Structure formats: structure tokens, C-alpha cells
Amino acid sequence: MQKTFIAWFLLPAVFVNVNAFEPFTVSVVLGASALLGKTIYNYFQESCSDQWFGFNSTGLQVDLEQKLFGQHIASKVLLKAVTGFVNNKNPKKPLVLSLHGWTGTGKNFVSQLIASSIYKKGMSSRFVHQFVATVNFPHSSEIDTYKTQLQQWIKGNVSSCARSLFIFDEMDKMHTGLIDSIKPFLDYYDNLGGVSYRQAMFIFLSNAGGESITQVVLDFWKNGKDREEIQLSDLESAMSLEVFNNKNSGFWHSSLIDKNLIDFFIPFLPLEYRHVRMCALAEMAIQNMEPDEDIADKVAKDMVYSPKEERVFSSKGCKTITSKLEYYK
């Protein structure tokens, strides 16, 4: 029925006898048919229109509260930053977020939550672009080529849709200087070459800064303080300095940091035993398993914890939860 319905509406554009109408009438008929065809196309094919964008601030807040564990700072900062930016009709620059912390703490997961809150197709949207340093930019000898390709890719996609999202993973493994090639796109310009980048979003994911973050959390733990007492101000300065001065980081002496183009450095705290248990129970729900506290305990106990003496933090966060859960099914 659906195909017949569509074809019937498209018939005037194909079979209309233009000789039977005045020129003005022909223009109206053909124009209406073209508009209708475009409307039908946009209904089924994702386009850069409000129909395919629908920021859900409440949904993002609920997801961060119920699905992201042990990250009170990241949850608060991300919700405010993304909500404020998306609701701003005339932002002065693109939103640039840099997420830092150990592996398995939720950086990639949060990127997916943000994409799902803005784009109806989430990470599958053709307006969401993800780059992985070791996959997309593997060879240091090709850095000049990568710079050109990256600039062209961003310019082309933002030209097609101003509300594009770019995610750069493994920034700690990216070749030094490569990310600086996109500096102009992140700056305070009305447009560059006729293209405005102000509505775009850039998210960088990195393990760099993890040592500084972990040390602060460990100090709080040793002093008997609750980790929820830790504030962004306790971490941001040391974290950004470590990232900027780390020769193994893609941000090493980067102009993005030097020129203050990164809006927020967001720390992801190392996860403790209780958080790993929560991850295990959440994964059970995803797999439609009955919640089993005993299995959650076994999975959490299987993880390697550090530092060696204190054994407070899961070395891999929640990264291997799925495979460990399979073992105990």
C-alpha cells in the first residue's frame, strides 16, 4: 500500500500534459510536484532538517544519571554544556569538549549518549563522524596528507549540514600537530570561505590526563573523603597541563589548548568495585537477563585493581564486562 500511495502522488510530475495548461499553471503544478517529492524523500531519507534533529535534554539527563556510573563531574558538565550549546540559536563558536581518563570509564559511551540525544539515528546518523587515530591516521609519514583530508572532510560535511558532530577517539595516540590543522574551524569566526562552523560539535577522547585524575581521586580516598566531593576545579588545571605537556598526546603543545579553544576539559574518574558491579547489572538488563547480584560480584572480583597496594580502582574500568558476563552465564 505504501509504495502505491507514493507513486500516485508522484504521477502529476511524470504524466501531466503541459500543453493543456498556461505557463503559470504548469510552473505551479510542476513546482508542487517537486516539493511533494522532496517532502516524501526527506521523510524516508535522513536530511539536515528539524525532522531528523530533536534534542532531548531530559532524555540525556536520565541516561547520564541511570547509565553512567561513578562520573558525577562528567555528568553535570556534559549536560550543561550540551544543553546550553544546542539551545543557543547563535553560538559564537563550535562546542569543543575534551574527555579524559582511563580506559573503560565511559568516554565513548557518553559520546553515544550525546549523539542519541541530538540525532534521531544516533551514532548511525550521517551527520555524526567518528575518527579513530590508529585506524584513520596510522602512519606518521602521511601526516601532511591526513591534514588536508581532515580539513576537506570537515569543511565538506559542515557545508552539507551545519549541525554536524565530529568525534576523535584515541587522541593520546594521534600524531603530534595533526589536530592543529582544524584549529580555524574551532575558532571565533563568523565563517571561513563562506562556511560557518559555529553550530558544529567536536568531542575529543583521550586516556591522557588519566594519571593526574587518578592521583586526585586516590588522595581523596586516602583522606577519607567521598569522591562525590571532588569538583572540576580540583582536576581541570593539572589535567590540562598534563595533556599539553605529554609528548605522547595528540594535544602536545597544541594550539587548541594554547588558544583556549577547548571549552571544557572533562575528567572521567577511575571506577571502583561498586561501580563495576553496577556496570555488570546494567549489562544484564541490556541482555534481558535476570539481575543476579552473585554474578555481578564475581564479575567485579575478576577485574584487576590498582594501585597494587590499595587495589581501589579497576584498571580497565568496565571495558571487559560483556565478555566476563558471557563466561558466567
Side-chain angles (χ1 to χ4, degrees):
M1 282 299 294
Q2 192 179 59
K3 291 183 178 179
T4 304
F5 176 77
I6 295 171
W8 184 84
F9 271 101
L10 293 178
L11 281 174
V14 180
F15 295 104
V16 64
N17 181 2
V18 295
N19 295 319
F21 299 95
E22 293 296 326
F24 177 75
T25 306
V26 171
S27 298
V28 171
V29 171
L30 293 180
S33 298
L35 179 61
L36 181 58
K38 183 178 180 180
T39 300
I40 294 171
Y41 176 83
N42 286 342
Y43 182 82
F44 293 99
Q45 180 69 31
E46 185 184 25
S47 60
C48 187
S49 65
D50 290 340
Q51 179 182 338
W52 292 94
F53 297 96
F55 179 57
N56 185 348
S57 177
T58 302
L60 178 58
Q61 181 178 2
V62 171
D63 281 344
L64 290 171
E65 290 175 351
Q66 298 182 358
K67 299 178 181 180
L68 183 67
F69 307 118
Q71 305 300 348
H72 67 284
I73 298 175
S75 294
K76 181 179 180 179
V77 176
L78 285 168
L79 181 63
K80 286 188 174 183
V82 175
T83 300
F85 177 76
V86 176
N87 290 337
N88 186 349
K89 302 299 182 182
N90 186 31
K92 300 300 182 184
K93 66 181 290 295
L95 179 63
V96 185
L97 305 174
S98 193
L99 282 49
H100 298 268
W102 278 1
T103 185
T105 51
K107 301 185 298 295
N108 265 298
F109 181 58
V110 157
S111 301
Q112 296 167 18
L113 294 182
I114 291 172
S116 296
S117 73
I118 298 174
Y119 305 90
K120 289 192 175 180
K121 297 187 71 173
M123 290 295 292
S124 298
S125 171
R126 65 192 185 97
F127 307 119
V128 176
H129 313 280
Q130 186 167 26
F131 303 90
V132 180
T134 54
V135 175
N136 299 107
F137 316 111
H139 307 296
S140 58
S141 59
E142 299 294 327
I143 189 169
D144 289 335
T145 300
Y146 295 151
K147 286 182 178 180
T148 301
Q149 291 175 340
L150 187 55
Q151 290 173 339
Q152 292 175 343
W153 179 260
I154 292 175
K155 181 179 180 180
N157 282 284
V158 175
S159 297
S160 298
C161 186
R163 289 181 286 186
S164 294
L165 170 61
F166 300 91
I167 302 170
F168 292 84
D169 197 2
E170 297 185 345
M171 280 299 300
D172 48 303
K173 298 180 178 66
M174 183 170 284
H175 303 302
T176 301
L178 175 55
I179 204 62
D180 279 1
S181 66
I182 68 169
K183 173 190 172 294
F185 304 140
L186 311 186
D187 216 328
Y188 292 84
Y189 294 115
D190 287 334
N191 67 77
L192 291 170
V195 180
S196 174
Y197 297 87
R198 291 184 169 194
Q199 289 185 302
M201 291 178 59
F202 295 80
I203 301 178
F204 302 111
L205 314 179
S206 177
N207 290 345
E211 293 299 324
S212 296
I213 296 169
T214 300
Q215 188 59 54
V216 170
V217 182
L218 185 60
D219 289 343
F220 267 71
W221 180 83
K222 287 181 176 179
N223 292 325
K225 296 181 180 179
D226 195 317
R227 66 188 275 142
E228 275 68 33
E229 295 179 43
I230 303 173
Q231 302 297 316
L232 180 61
S233 57
D234 295 319
L235 295 159
E236 195 170 32
S237 179
M239 178 175 55
S240 60
L241 282 174
E242 180 185 336
V243 172
F244 184 74
N245 293 314
N246 186 346
K247 290 186 177 181
N248 295 320
S249 168
F251 283 126
W252 185 62
H253 286 193
S254 170
S255 60
L256 271 61
I257 297 177
D258 192 36
K259 301 299 182 181
N260 298 310
L261 296 180
I262 296 178
D263 298 297
F264 294 97
F265 287 92
I266 304 177
F268 279 69
L269 312 185
L271 300 183
E272 300 172 16
Y273 179 89
R274 58 189 169 115
H275 303 124
V276 178
R277 285 188 76 261
M278 295 167 74
C279 287
L281 290 169
E283 182 61 28
M284 290 180 198
I286 293 173
Q287 297 186 22
N288 295 318
M289 292 174 56
E290 288 292 329
D292 191 315
E293 299 285 347
D294 290 336
I295 290 180
D297 278 328
K298 290 178 181 178
V299 169
K301 288 176 181 177
D302 272 356
M303 305 298 282
V304 176
Y305 292 85
S306 63
K308 288 184 178 180
E309 293 182 3
E310 293 88 349
R311 287 178 49 83
V312 182
F313 308 123
S314 171
S315 298
K316 294 183 180 179
C318 288
K319 194 164 188 176
T320 58
I321 288 295
T322 303
S323 57
K324 288 185 179 296
L325 200 57
E326 289 292 329
Y327 177 77
Y328 286 108
K329 274 187 178 180

